[in-house]
Each structure stands twice: as C-alpha cells, then as structure tokens.
C-alpha cells in the first residue's frame, strides 16, 4: 500500500514537472535523503541519549514498583483469611496506581519523543530551505519519492553540514 502510494505520488510530481510551461519550469532541482540527515544530525543523537536515559530511569522505577507489588503478593499467601481480605484491597489499589503511573509515564515519553521529532524535522526543513535559497534551487525533493536521481542533485551532505553547524550540543550550552 505504502509503495503504491509512493509510486503514485512520484508519478504525479514528475508528471506535474514535465507539463509545467517552459517559463515556469524549475531552474535547479535537487533532492535530499531525509532519513540520513535525521540520523546524522547531532541534535538527533543528543536527544536520543536524553530519551534513552529517561527510558532507563523509568524502567528502574518500574522494576522497584513491580517488586513492591510482588512482595505484597508473596505476603498475601502467608496471611489468614481476615488479613488476606485487607491486604488484597491494598494490593489491588497498588496495582491500579501502578498501571495509571505506567500509562502516564509511557504516554509522556511518547509525547516528548514526538515533540522532539517535530522540532528536528522543522530544523531540517529550515536548513533545506536555507541551502536551496542560497544556491538557487527552485525545487528540492525527498529522495524517497524519486524514481531516478542523479548523484549531482543530492544535497544531503550540504544540509547535514548546515543543521549540525546550527545545532549546539547540550554540553556546549
């Protein structure tokens, strides 16, 4: 499905370019490998480290909470029926609180990752625009929608240089 959509979009874009009247045709056309820019952008690497640390911290907190619940479950088997009923309510409440905590934490990490992704993509778009305008490109494509691309139209390295030049690592701020 995605491949068919990609081919369809490519055909539409290339068809539109071929049928643009001569006076409106693009003077310079280039393309970028958006995935490679994203991966080589220092901000991406910095943010990945931050998110990985937050994920590890969450996993450590989670293990502590799970162990507390397991300990309570283990104690439950040693109690008489009257004490079991009281502890069972406590256990159910702890499990409910844990599930809510886990859900909120996972959702928070996911939202933070999505926000960072949007910010990085805006940075990349800005760098592509900056380079294209400075070099007189009228159209720049993502290489994923192209059926054929000549190597001399690849602007990826230049854009990687721009985004990394514009980014300050958290350690240098």
């Amino acid at each position: 499905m995605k491949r068919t959509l990609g081919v369809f979009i490519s055909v539409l874009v290339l068809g539109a370019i071929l049928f643009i009247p001569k006076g409106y045709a693009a003077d310079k056309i280039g393309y970028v490998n958006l995935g490679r820019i994203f991966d080589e952008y220092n901000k991406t690497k910095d943010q990945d480290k931050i998110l990985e640390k937050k994920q590890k911290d969450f996993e450590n907190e989670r293990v502590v909470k799970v162990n507390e619940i397991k300990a309570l479950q283990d104690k439950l088997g040693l109690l008489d029926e009257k004490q079991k009923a009281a502890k069972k309510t406590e256990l159910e409440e702890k499990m409910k609180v844990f599930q809510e905590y886990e859900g909120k934490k996972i959702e928070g990490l996911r939202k933070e990752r999505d926000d960072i992704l949007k910010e990085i993509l805006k940075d990349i778009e800005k760098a592509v625009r900056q380079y294209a305008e400075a070099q007189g490109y009228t159209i720049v494509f993502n290489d994923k929608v192209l059926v054929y691309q000549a190597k001399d139209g690849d602007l990826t390295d230049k854009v990687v240089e721009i985004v990394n030049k514009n980014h300050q690592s958290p350690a240098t701020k």
Side-chain angles (χ1 to χ4, degrees):
M1 176 71 174
K2 288 182 181 179
R3 185 175 180 171
T4 305
L5 181 61
V7 170
F8 179 71
I9 290 172
S10 297
V11 169
L12 281 177
V13 169
L14 292 174
I17 291 171
L18 293 174
F19 293 107
I20 295 174
K22 272 280 194 227
Y24 297 108
D27 297 324
K28 284 175 88 174
I29 298 174
Y31 64 92
V32 295
N33 180 328
L34 194 57
R36 200 176 114 221
I37 294 170
F38 186 84
D39 291 342
E40 293 180 19
Y41 185 14
N42 289 334
K43 186 174 189 175
T44 303
K45 295 173 187 175
D46 293 341
Q47 293 298 328
D48 279 348
K49 288 177 188 171
I50 291 168
L51 288 174
E52 282 176 23
K53 183 181 179 335
K54 288 182 178 184
Q55 181 68 31
K56 280 184 181 179
D57 291 346
F58 165 65
E59 287 298 324
N60 291 337
E61 291 172 18
R62 185 181 180 284
V63 166
V64 168
K65 291 182 183 295
V66 167
N67 287 339
E68 287 175 5
I69 291 172
K70 284 182 180 178
L72 195 55
Q73 285 173 330
D74 291 343
K75 287 180 186 177
L76 205 60
L78 303 173
L79 302 174
D80 63 36
E81 291 304 315
K82 187 175 181 184
Q83 292 172 325
K84 266 187 186 179
K87 287 291 182 184
K88 191 173 183 181
T89 304
E90 180 184 341
L91 176 65
E92 288 172 354
E93 183 60 31
K94 269 194 182 284
M95 289 177 69
K96 181 181 173 190
V97 168
F98 171 73
Q99 289 171 343
E100 289 173 3
Y101 159 80
E102 186 178 43
K104 285 179 184 177
K105 197 71 168 177
I106 289 170
E107 183 60 33
L109 288 170
R110 188 174 296 131
K111 183 181 179 337
E112 185 174 355
R113 186 200 68 217
D114 291 347
D115 291 346
I116 290 168
L117 177 67
K118 287 176 189 174
E119 184 179 316
I120 288 170
L121 290 174
K122 282 181 184 178
D123 292 350
I124 292 170
E125 182 182 325
K126 180 180 174 185
V128 169
R129 184 179 302 113
Q130 178 183 347
Y131 183 78
E133 288 174 356
Q135 299 299 316
Y137 283 86
T138 52
I139 297 175
V140 177
F141 291 101
N142 178 349
D143 72 335
K144 297 292 181 210
V145 298
L146 300 176
V147 176
Y148 169 78
Q149 58 255 20
K151 185 69 181 154
D152 62 343
D154 188 356
L155 312 176
T156 304
D157 292 332
K158 306 278 193 279
V159 175
V160 168
E161 288 175 27
I162 292 170
V163 293
N164 285 330
K165 183 180 78 171
N166 292 339
H167 172 65
Q168 289 184 353
S169 179
T172 60
K173 286 183 181 178

